[in-house]
């Protein structure tokens, strides 16, 4: 008999380069944030599967509350994809702000899949977890590239390219950093809908050759950044690439005045580069600090952003 309670965790993420372009076949570079989500799964005693998020006062039943709450639909989709037919109670906690481009929904889904698998005595490899992440994320997202749930499942720093054919495996290349990166992430705008932002960029890319060219240039930036991350003494050049990636995201229509102000403040305070991270339209920026400028950047961003997180990354 397997246990009656199982707990598991999953990572959030920062996209260092390549968001949106990754949906259109270009590579992107992601960094897993270990402080993502935690899920606890239990066998239900009242015959109904439930999903609870205590911090949000949320308690929903898949099939009953789907119209009202997409998380109920997401748990229903996950249980169906896992072929679970016994009722389970899943409780989620999140250590990251929601809907601001830090991969919160993928982290919740992957943590839930892991906890359920642990409860029923199954072992899930990263590939299988990522597949389940698609079932969960599809509810929030529509056409996810898969980068968020890959980061949630595997963590670390990696280059990701979505498969050309649906159902095929993405290309994932773990990256080793030559030097630690001091990053400052700031929540600049309100939460936004990844589904809506991805749909808007896709329309633009289909209609406007300049947007198509921006996507291709972002792909070239990612390839350059991949090489620079492995080379000591490259942080100034990496910062320039972040600034250029930001300008191209602006051209794709996902920048906002609040995100722009945050990027400019970060650069004025000593960031080597700063850009929108995630789907944009609100959400977060990520800045790369010059040596010794970290505290000044945090101070400058605290003046304009409700939340600022700092991460030093090494590998
Ligand atoms: O959900 P977000 O804000 O972390 O954005 C995900 C990254 C996108 O490239 C915009 C979408 C995707 O599926 O890759």
């Amino acid at each position: 008999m397997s246990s009656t309670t199982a707990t598991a965790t999953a990572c959030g993420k920062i996209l260092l380069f390549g968001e949106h372009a990754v949906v259109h076949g270009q590579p992107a570079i992601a960094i897993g944030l270990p402080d993502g989500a935690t899920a606890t799964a239990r066998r239900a005693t009242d015959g109904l599967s439930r999903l609870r998020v205590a911090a949000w006062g949320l308690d929903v039943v898949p099939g009953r509350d789907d119209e009202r709450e997409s998380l109920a639909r997401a748990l229903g989709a996950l249980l169906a994809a896992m072929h679970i037919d016994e009722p389970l109670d899943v409780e989620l906690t999140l250590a990251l702000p929601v809907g601001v481009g830090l991969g919160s929904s993928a982290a919740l889904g992957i943590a839930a899949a892991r906890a359920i698998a642990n409860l029923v005595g199954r072992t899930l490899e990263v590939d299988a977890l990522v597949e389940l992440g698609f079932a969960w994320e599809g509810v929030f997202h529509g056409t996810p590239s898969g980068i968020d749930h890959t980061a949630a499942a595997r963590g670390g720093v990696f280059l990701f390219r979505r498969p050309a054919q649906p159902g095929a495996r993405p290309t994932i290349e773990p990256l080793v950093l030559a030097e630690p990166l001091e990053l400052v992430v700031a929540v600049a705008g309100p939460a936004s809908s990844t589904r809506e932002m991805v749909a808007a960029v896709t329309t633009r890319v289909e209609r406007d050759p300049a947007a198509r060219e921006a996507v291709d240039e972002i792909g070239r930036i990612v390839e350059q950044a991949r090489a620079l991350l492995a080379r000591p003494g490259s942080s100034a050049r990496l910062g320039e690439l972040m600034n250029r990636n930001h300008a191209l995201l602006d051209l794709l229509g996902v920048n906002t005045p609040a995100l722009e102000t945050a990027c400019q403040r970060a650069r004025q305070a000593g960031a080597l580069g700063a850009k929108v991270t995630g789907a944009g339209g609100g959400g977060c920026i990520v800045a790369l600090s010059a040596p010794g400028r970290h505290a000044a950047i945090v101070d400058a961003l605290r003046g304009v952003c409700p939340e600022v997180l700092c991460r030093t990354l090494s590998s």
Side-chain angles (χ1 to χ4, degrees):
M1 177 71 189
S2 45
S3 54
T4 51
T5 302
T7 296
T9 61
C11 294
K13 65 99 190 40
I14 301 170
L15 293 180
L16 198 55
F17 294 99
E19 49 276 273
H20 285 290
V22 70
V23 174
H24 302 280
Q26 299 297 337
I29 295 175
I31 296 165
L33 292 173
D35 40 354
T38 303
T40 301
R42 294 182 188 83
R43 296 199 150 76
T45 48
D46 61 358
L48 287 178
S49 284
R50 292 200 121 77
L51 186 142
R52 301 172 211 267
V53 187
W56 306 340
L58 185 94
D59 182 344
V60 287
V61 174
R64 193 189 69 189
D65 298 325
D66 288 8
E67 292 309 313
R68 185 166 68 78
E69 183 49 64
S70 48
L71 274 171
R73 214 157 60 241
L75 180 63
L78 182 63
L79 293 172
M82 294 181 80
H83 307 291
I84 302 279
D85 43 24
E86 63 175 314
L88 299 182
D89 195 321
V90 178
E91 194 169 341
L92 300 173
T93 55
L94 195 57
L96 293 168
V98 180
V100 292
L102 299 180
S104 56
S105 71
L108 290 172
I110 296 294
R114 270 194 180 128
I116 294 167
N118 290 346
L119 182 74
V120 301
R122 278 188 218 164
T123 306
L124 291 176
E125 301 300 334
V126 167
D127 285 343
L129 270 172
V130 169
E131 269 312 304
L132 293 172
F134 272 103
W136 172 278
E137 274 288 273
V139 167
F140 303 98
H141 195 313
T143 53
S145 65
I147 194 167
D148 280 24
H149 32 290
T150 301
R154 71 183 301 288
V157 185
F158 61 95
L159 182 134
F160 175 97
R161 190 190 287 269
R162 80 183 300 181
Q165 305 298 329
R169 298 234 161 110
T171 308
I172 295 159
E173 185 188 318
L175 300 178
V176 176
L177 303 181
E179 289 169 343
L181 293 180
E182 272 193 56
L183 298 178
V184 181
V185 175
V187 183
S192 68
S193 156
T194 301
R195 180 190 283 273
E196 283 166 22
M197 298 312 295
V198 167
V201 170
T202 298
T203 304
R204 215 178 253 234
V205 169
E206 283 165 359
R207 294 191 183 153
D208 178 359
R212 179 72 253 173
E213 175 44 38
V215 161
D216 293 346
E217 187 181 340
I218 291 172
R220 294 193 290 277
I221 287 173
V222 171
E223 296 294 355
Q224 291 171 55
R226 181 227 311 247
L228 289 170
L229 286 169
R231 208 177 296 154
S234 302
S235 47
R237 183 73 190 113
L238 278 168
E240 285 166 19
L241 291 179
M242 288 171 75
N243 289 339
R244 181 64 191 151
N245 193 158
H246 176 74
L248 294 165
L249 287 168
D250 183 54
L251 196 148
L252 291 174
V254 304
N255 197 14
T256 65
L259 290 165
E260 187 57 35
T261 301
C263 285
Q264 286 179 14
R265 287 280 181 113
R267 291 179 198 127
Q268 283 156 9
L272 298 167
K275 62 180 274 294
V276 168
T277 184
C284 286
I285 65 135
V286 57
L288 175 62
S289 175
R293 301 304 302 163
H294 182 252
I297 297 168
V298 170
D299 272 358
L301 287 170
R302 285 222 169 102
V304 287
C305 296
E307 204 165 339
V308 182
L309 326 167
C310 307
R311 293 289 179 278
T312 302
L313 298 169
S314 48
S315 58

